[in-house]
Amino acid sequence: MIEPLWHPNPDRIDGSNLSQFMARLGREGGYDAFWEWSVSDLEGFWDAAWDELGIVGEMAGPVLRDADQLEKARFFPDCKVNLAENLLQVSGGDDALIFHGENGTRRVFSFDALRDEVAKLQSFLRDQGVGIGDRVAGFVPNTPEALIAMLAASSLGAVWSSCSPDFGVAGVMDRFGQIEPKVLFSSDKYHYNGKTIVCAPTASEVADALPSVKALVVFAYDGGAPDIAGFGSKAVAWTDAVEDRSTNLHFERVNFDAPMYVMFSSGTTGLPKCIVHSVGGTLIQHQKEHQLQGDTKPGDRLFYFTTCGWMMWNWKVSALGAGASLVMYDGSPFFPDGNRCADIVEAEGVTHFGTSAKFLDACAKENVAPIKSHDLSNLRTIYSTGSPLAPAGFEYVYSHWKKDLCLSSVAGGTDILGCFVGGSPIDPVYSGQCQKRQLAMDVRVFNADGQHVEGEQGELVCVKPHPSMPVGFWNDPDGEKYHNAYFAKFENVWHHGDFVELTPQGGMVFYGRSDAVLNPGGVRIGTAEIYRQVEQIDEVLEGLVIGQQWQDDVRVVLFVRLAEGVALDEALVKKIKSEIRTNCTPRHMPAKIIAVADIPRTKSGKITELAVRDIVHGRTVKNTDAMANPEALELYKDLPELQS
């Protein structure tokens, strides 16, 4: 029997939103029993959740239609809602938004001030002809203006999409060129790792190349009036756009499944898919995750380190609907050092902090230890996502950040704009595991024959509909791309593409993406199993593993980025192999271990195993503009070590 790393105390359990919801419904037996009921009675759960989560809108008709057909199922088909209306319910002078820029900028908006800014920008957008279904896009850093622009667009029933300003022209056009926005937003500049980058060259070229764009609205990163010189003929200063505008705010309620967000796949194997998410599905799913799974309450403060090109930005802003305040940071989390995020958590009294598993791994390598230097007394929850958090990462958080908190490793993704598995405020945390399958998400593990299995590795699937399923892909009128992405592998079952295992504790362990699973000798191996061992070796900063086609089989190849001054000599190779053999199996042993200077990753920080696999096999990698460091791919071309 394994021991938990953390267990909530009775007061925390009894005082949680989840426990109180269960009590009001007369449900006993703990989380697992409640989960079983929630997936067996989807209509009963979501009907109760609408009221419990405080959803504002026009409630009518059935909760769920065509429940037995996942692709056609529709939640609340006769209801109307508005996302901004639900996220702006709180009023008053308390802090709604606190922004920190890498350059030291700090700006604060009260709930009333935030609402007024949204109203003024709404008036401007209405004058530009923006209405229901029109697209509004942001080429933006993680600043208050990005949030205000999204809320203003949402208030009119328009569709919002964004990407971070480190994309080049081709990467932005690959995304926004498909959805044809009517208004485009840009900052004048942003800061990263001590450098200032101006946005005018890229933003102006994109605006000129998109005939649909009527106005390019430019704001100042530090607030105030921006200099719009160099932004082209479509440029309008934010300060001019909102000057003398009314603060009367109107909310255009739209159908529950009307489009709200267009999200983009990473796009390293072709043009990024444009995934369309609904207003109501996003709203109710996010409120469930914030209020019930994360126990977010009015007055809490959520700080999620993210960019506007990662779905966690869309997820975190929904915490406003739970009555929480948002703490935003734009810049490098390691500038000037690895304590930058912890500094903000302490300074702003953050209760919920979210980041990537890679950030926590990097902090561990740098021996960042806020537990020794910071007052984190308000911090109750740390979220981790983006890639599997290894057991060593769990143990690092509890030894170096705080002993008494809920470490919620959450997983889902851009495809559902939410989580399939993640936190439970009333249950223990076990090393290496996402705590629980999320409520009303009928998640199972299928083997290759489509049979449900527990205690063995298989495919993550969802066998019943959920509100945050996309309403489809952009420019996919017959739904063929949508079907092939999620429903082609198993009939009438959502296939997510993760290689996972259900545990006896009711949690889930992730072993990597299914399409990156290794298959030496016909045995399926998740890449995360190897990473968990490699990342515990002090000499190795990070690794990337692929399967190389070799002599009618697949051999495992491990690339490692080493700490400064470390060489991949025979002793280190032996140490790496010994760690893998001891803690995994001989099948996991790399046939080749190769040192590289850099590891390619997407702009959201995920390593690009498939792109490296293509390069190694002589295939062209398309759309490298979606990558943060595409030049790193050159390090993997025609390696002599892989020719024998």
Side-chain angles (χ1 to χ4, degrees):
M1 188 70 175
I2 65 172
E3 292 296 319
L5 292 172
W6 174 83
H7 197 291
N9 63 47
D11 288 343
R12 180 162 180 165
I13 293 172
D14 293 342
S16 68
N17 294 332
L18 178 55
S19 289
Q20 292 172 22
F21 181 38
M22 292 165 60
R24 279 190 280 274
L25 292 176
R27 293 283 162 185
E28 299 178 348
Y31 186 95
D32 291 335
F34 193 53
W35 178 85
E36 289 285 356
W37 170 76
S38 73
V39 298
S40 64
D41 186 1
L42 291 177
E43 293 182 69
F45 174 84
W46 288 112
D47 186 35
W50 178 288
D51 294 327
E52 181 70 20
L53 301 172
I55 305 299
V56 175
E58 299 167 22
M59 177 66 151
V63 171
L64 178 58
R65 184 175 293 159
D66 295 325
D68 59 341
Q69 303 177 65
L70 262 69
E71 288 182 77
K72 295 181 179 180
R74 292 182 63 196
F75 284 87
F76 303 102
D78 301 323
C79 298
K80 292 183 179 294
V81 291
N82 182 279
L83 185 70
E85 182 179 14
N86 279 270
L87 300 192
L88 292 171
Q89 292 186 61
V90 179
S91 60
D94 290 342
D95 297 342
L97 172 61
I98 304 164
F99 167 70
H100 286 256
E102 186 189 89
N103 65 335
T105 297
R106 181 179 184 271
R107 293 194 278 151
V108 181
F109 292 77
S110 70
F111 285 101
D112 284 349
L114 177 61
R115 188 182 179 96
D116 287 349
E117 290 300 311
V118 172
K120 288 186 282 187
L121 191 61
Q122 180 197 71
S123 175
F124 170 78
L125 291 178
R126 188 185 289 112
D127 285 352
Q128 303 304 306
V130 173
I132 295 174
D134 288 324
R135 277 77 64 204
V136 177
F139 172 67
V140 285
N142 182 26
T143 58
E145 288 78 11
L147 173 62
I148 293 165
M150 182 281 287
L151 290 170
S154 168
S155 69
L156 293 169
V159 180
W160 172 260
S161 191
S162 61
C163 67
S164 54
D166 52 348
F167 277 87
V169 172
V172 181
M173 289 300 298
D174 283 348
R175 288 156 175 77
F176 296 163
Q178 296 186 68
I179 63 172
E180 301 175 303
K182 188 171 281 188
V183 177
L184 179 65
F185 287 86
S186 173
S187 177
D188 58 351
K189 61 182 177 293
Y190 67 98
H191 306 276
Y192 195 83
N193 204 27
K195 298 178 181 178
T196 300
I197 301 96
V198 296
C199 299
T202 301
S204 60
E205 187 172 343
V206 168
D208 288 343
L210 289 173
S212 62
V213 172
K214 297 180 63 176
L216 169 60
V217 182
V218 182
F219 58 86
Y221 183 91
D222 298 321
D227 180 0
I228 63 173
F231 278 90
S233 60
K234 296 180 180 179
V236 178
W238 176 290
T239 43
D240 292 336
V242 300
E243 187 177 11
D244 297 327
R245 293 280 178 176
S246 169
T247 55
N248 292 325
L249 187 54
H250 167 73
F251 298 110
E252 190 70 44
R253 291 179 178 174
V254 294
N255 291 337
F256 188 89
D257 62 356
M260 173 60 236
Y261 290 126
V262 175
M263 308 298 296
F264 303 102
S265 65
S266 297
T268 54
T269 55
L271 273 180
K273 297 189 293 289
C274 300
I275 308 170
V276 184
H277 288 286
S278 69
V279 176
T282 298
L283 170 65
I284 201 166
Q285 185 78 286
H286 285 184
Q287 293 313 306
K288 178 199 71 175
E289 293 176 2
H290 282 298
Q291 296 186 44
L292 300 181
Q293 312 287 173
D295 200 33
T296 304
K297 304 170 185 291
D300 282 344
R301 293 189 166 196
L302 170 69
F303 167 31
Y304 214 111
F305 174 70
T306 180
T307 71
C308 293
W310 191 20
M311 54 108 6
M312 296 313 299
W313 184 88
N314 308 73
W315 184 86
K316 69 145 188 198
V317 300
S318 290
L320 286 170
S325 304
L326 300 180
V327 177
M328 303 170 97
Y329 171 67
D330 185 74
S332 167
F334 284 94
F335 186 86
D337 56 45
N339 280 305
R340 187 62 183 267
C341 287
D343 291 343
I344 296 172
V345 171
E346 178 183 37
E348 305 300 350
V350 168
T351 58
H352 295 67
F353 170 57
T355 185
S356 67
K358 285 296 179 186
F359 170 78
L360 294 174
D361 290 340
C363 285
K365 292 289 185 182
E366 296 290 328
N367 200 32
V368 176
I371 198 170
K372 298 179 180 179
S373 54
H374 291 69
D375 177 6
L376 305 182
S377 55
N378 289 316
L379 187 63
R380 303 199 312 269
T381 298
I382 287 183
Y383 296 110
S384 171
T385 193
S387 59
L389 183 63
F394 278 77
E395 288 145 19
Y396 161 73
V397 168
Y398 284 107
S399 62
H400 285 68
W401 281 73
K402 189 177 181 182
K403 297 184 183 300
D404 182 21
L405 56 73
C406 185
L407 175 54
S408 294
S409 179
V410 302
T414 303
D415 308 87
I416 63 167
L417 201 59
C419 306
F420 277 125
V421 297
S424 165
I426 64 174
D427 285 282
V429 172
Y430 292 93
S431 184
Q433 298 186 28
C434 298
Q435 276 177 289
K436 295 291 181 182
R437 291 174 283 184
Q438 302 288 263
L439 297 169
M441 308 293 276
D442 200 348
V443 172
R444 309 284 173 172
V445 180
F446 275 12
N447 62 18
D449 296 324
Q451 298 171 325
H452 174 61
V453 295
E454 296 186 20
E456 63 181 84
Q457 297 174 20
E459 301 279 356
L460 189 157
V461 300
C462 191
V463 300
K464 290 182 181 176
H466 45 93
S468 61
M469 290 189 300
V471 294
F473 290 171
W474 201 261
N475 294 326
D476 181 29
D478 59 1
E480 181 180 4
K481 294 178 183 177
Y482 178 55
H483 174 85
N484 290 337
Y486 308 115
F487 300 102
K489 188 173 182 68
F490 301 110
E491 185 178 356
N492 200 32
V493 168
W494 175 287
H495 169 242
H496 198 55
D498 281 317
F499 202 50
V500 299
E501 179 183 347
L502 275 173
T503 71
Q505 295 77 33
M508 185 167 279
V509 177
F510 279 70
Y511 295 100
R513 293 291 296 171
S514 302
D515 50 11
V517 163
L518 311 172
N519 201 25
V523 178
R524 301 185 82 195
I525 296 172
T527 55
E529 296 178 85
I530 296 175
Y531 295 142
R532 284 178 181 138
Q533 309 313 318
V534 172
E535 289 170 355
Q536 296 184 62
I537 298 172
D538 291 339
E539 295 90 337
V540 179
L541 294 178
E542 58 182 345
L544 184 150
V545 65
I546 66 165
Q548 182 195 14
Q549 298 294 328
W550 188 255
Q551 296 180 349
D552 299 321
D553 198 358
V554 174
R555 66 179 180 182
V556 178
V557 178
L558 172 65
F559 300 98
V560 289
R561 185 169 71 90
L562 301 174
E564 187 175 353
V566 175
L568 186 65
D569 55 20
E570 186 175 342
L572 182 53
V573 168
K574 184 177 180 180
K575 181 178 181 180
I576 293 171
K577 287 188 174 182
S578 175
E579 191 75 22
I580 294 171
R581 177 187 288 274
T582 301
N583 295 292
C584 296
T585 72
R587 289 282 188 186
H588 292 74
M589 287 276 289
K592 299 280 185 176
I593 301 178
I594 302 170
V596 289
D598 199 6
I599 287 181
R601 62 187 68 251
T602 66
K603 292 184 184 293
S604 60
K606 297 180 181 179
I607 60 174
T608 55
E609 296 162 326
L610 298 185
V612 170
R613 190 175 70 187
D614 283 344
I615 287 291
V616 164
H617 289 98
R619 297 188 287 266
T620 301
V621 176
K622 302 176 182 178
N623 192 28
T624 55
D625 203 78
M627 298 175 62
N629 54 342
E631 68 282 355
L633 287 175
E634 295 296 320
L635 303 172
Y636 299 80
K637 283 185 176 179
D638 304 319
L639 291 173
E641 298 96 322
L642 296 181
Q643 309 309 312
S644 62

